[in-house]
């Protein structure tokens, strides 16, 4: 039910299917997941997150009006991994748009969320000490980023990969926090955009994901900005975690 705008989605909806045999077979498509008045989207490269009572927590975002008042939160399944609770909101404001949230569990058991904000392009963060039932007021991370991906390194530090929205640094960047998200240090770029490619903040690229394949090896994937011919390319990287 969205119209053209900052995120001009139209004709799409979100549902789920399940597999109980390692992906060999899948259930029928479930009914639409509709948790916000208009757009509803599960967004969290690290979804889902098991919590202590056996349920799963998902990062989620949605809109209050037609393509406006984006807000970020979490929803919980039941004990069978089905159905979804009304969202618990992490970040919302009538004159702001919050989306693209990823969540990671910190070594002390708390959850850290990093959230995109559309107007300033700043990334914000929040913490939960009660497994997602409540969240601290959002505060800026100090970097501008979208398409957030969080990964806990072997040392316990948190790596955040994101589409860099700083016009002076185009591509997919990484920042690292060693204090649970309170401060961040820029650590480099997974993808550096070709200077000849046109760029405006908000242009689509990035959507990074990272996963451990061995105890100290990480596989990563990003997608590029469109080139001069309009083609987008997927890039695969192999990284080594030397943090421990």
């Amino acid at each position: 039910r969205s119209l053209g705008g900052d995120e001009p989605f139209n004709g799409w909806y979100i549902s789920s299917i399940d597999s109980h045999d390692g992906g060999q077979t899948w259930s029928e498509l479930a009914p639409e997941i509709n948790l916000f008045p208009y757009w509803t989207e599960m967004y969290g490269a690290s979804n889902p997150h098991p919590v202590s009572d056996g349920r799963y927590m998902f990062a989620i975002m949605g809109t209050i009006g037609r393509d406006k008042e984006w807000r970020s939160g979490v929803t919980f399944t039941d004990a069978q991994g089905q159905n979804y609770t009304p969202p618990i909101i992490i970040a919302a404001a009538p004159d702001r748009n919050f989306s693209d949230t990823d969540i990671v569990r910190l070594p002390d058991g708390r959850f850290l969320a990093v959230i995109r904000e559309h107007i300033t392009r700043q990334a914000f963060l929040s913490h939960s000490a009660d497994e997602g039932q409540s969240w601290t007021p959002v505060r800026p991370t100090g970097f501008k980023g979208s398409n957030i991906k969080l990964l806990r390194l072997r040392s316990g530090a948190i790596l955040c990969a994101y589409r860099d929205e700083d016009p002076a640094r185009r591509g997919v960047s990484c920042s690292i926090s060693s204090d649970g998200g309170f401060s961040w240090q820029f650590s480099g770029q997974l993808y550096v955009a070709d200077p000849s490619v046109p760029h405006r903040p908000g242009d689509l690229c990035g959507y990074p994901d990272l996963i451990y394949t061995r105890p100290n090896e990480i596989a990563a994937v990003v997608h590029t900005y469109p080139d001069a011919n309009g083609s987008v390319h997927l890039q695969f990287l192999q990284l080594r975690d030397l943090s421990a």
Side-chain angles (χ1 to χ4, degrees):
R1 290 182 291 177
S2 180
L3 295 177
D6 187 44
E7 298 287 338
F9 298 119
N10 188 36
W12 301 86
Y13 70 94
I14 185 167
S15 181
S16 67
I17 57 175
D18 298 306
S19 175
H20 298 278
D21 56 9
Q24 296 300 310
T25 61
W26 292 86
S27 67
E28 295 297 321
L29 193 67
E32 179 181 1
I33 300 170
N34 194 0
L35 301 178
F36 289 91
Y38 282 86
W39 183 256
T40 295
E41 183 179 357
M42 298 285 190
Y43 190 101
S46 304
N47 281 340
H49 304 271
V51 294
S52 59
D53 62 6
R55 299 184 300 159
Y56 290 95
M57 177 175 68
F58 284 80
I60 193 169
M61 61 189 189
T63 59
I64 299 305
R66 284 189 179 269
D67 203 23
K68 63 181 182 180
E69 288 192 55
W70 285 81
R71 50 190 55 194
S72 163
V74 294
T75 180
F76 294 84
T77 67
D78 57 26
Q80 288 71 46
Q82 305 295 321
N83 304 309
Y84 298 93
T85 64
I88 295 173
I89 300 301
I90 302 174
D95 59 343
R96 309 285 284 277
N97 286 312
F98 292 97
S99 66
D100 291 16
T101 302
D102 201 22
I103 295 171
V104 69
R105 191 186 284 273
L106 299 174
D108 63 9
R110 292 178 301 151
F111 279 107
L112 166 69
V114 177
I115 308 145
R116 171 191 180 189
E117 197 281 309
H118 294 218
I119 297 174
T120 66
R121 308 292 176 182
Q122 177 71 248
F124 285 77
L125 66 92
S126 178
H127 291 94
S128 175
D130 55 9
E131 297 204 302
Q133 297 303 309
S134 63
W135 295 83
T136 61
V138 296
R139 52 176 288 181
T141 60
F143 58 82
K144 294 183 177 183
S146 303
N147 315 148
I148 307 300
K149 166 63 184 183
L150 299 174
L151 182 71
R152 194 170 96 187
L153 302 177
R154 293 189 300 157
S155 65
I158 304 301
L159 182 149
C160 181
Y162 51 92
R163 179 175 76 221
D164 202 322
E165 299 287 18
D166 184 341
R169 190 166 56 215
R170 303 186 302 144
V172 176
S173 296
C174 291
S175 294
I176 292 178
S177 175
S178 298
D179 57 8
F182 288 104
S183 63
W184 296 85
Q185 180 178 1
F186 176 76
S187 62
Q189 291 190 282
L190 298 178
Y191 156 62
V192 179
D194 185 330
S196 66
V197 175
H199 167 69
R200 300 178 305 249
D203 283 356
L204 298 182
C205 95
Y207 299 93
D209 205 0
L210 303 98
I211 188 171
Y212 278 94
T213 54
R214 294 181 180 178
N216 67 336
E217 293 183 6
I218 300 167
V221 63
V222 303
H223 85 66
T224 67
Y225 286 110
D227 62 19
N229 297 318
S231 298
V232 171
H233 302 277
L234 291 177
Q235 294 189 347
F236 177 80
L237 304 91
Q238 292 177 295
L239 311 175
R240 181 169 296 168
D241 180 356
L242 302 177
S243 67

